[in-house]
Amino acid sequence: MFAKTSDLEAEYKSLKQQLQQLSVEHDKYKKLFEVSGDALSIIDLNTGKFIE
């Protein structure tokens, strides 16, 4: 089965918007890390793994 072009375009727009939002959040936290005099880290609460 093939998706309709309009469905693909809608999905593309949605994914593009999500990526843009994630990029803004990433930049915000990156700036916070760069200017902070304190030691900061981000840990994934689900896995307990160090992210940044």
Side-chain angles (χ1 to χ4, degrees):
M1 295 195 163
F2 295 102
K4 294 180 182 179
T5 302
S6 60
D7 292 342
L8 292 174
E9 288 173 348
E11 184 176 359
Y12 170 77
K13 286 179 183 180
S14 174
L15 290 172
K16 187 176 178 181
Q17 183 180 15
Q18 289 176 33
L19 182 59
Q20 186 177 27
Q21 184 178 7
L22 287 172
S23 180
V24 168
E25 290 180 28
H26 177 266
D27 291 346
K28 176 177 68 174
Y29 288 111
K30 183 175 179 148
K31 288 177 186 176
L32 177 65
F33 272 79
E34 290 173 351
V35 299
S36 177
D38 296 326
L40 301 172
S41 63
I42 297 177
I43 298 174
D44 184 324
L45 295 176
N46 294 323
T47 63
K49 290 185 178 181
F50 175 80
I51 297 173
E52 187 170 341

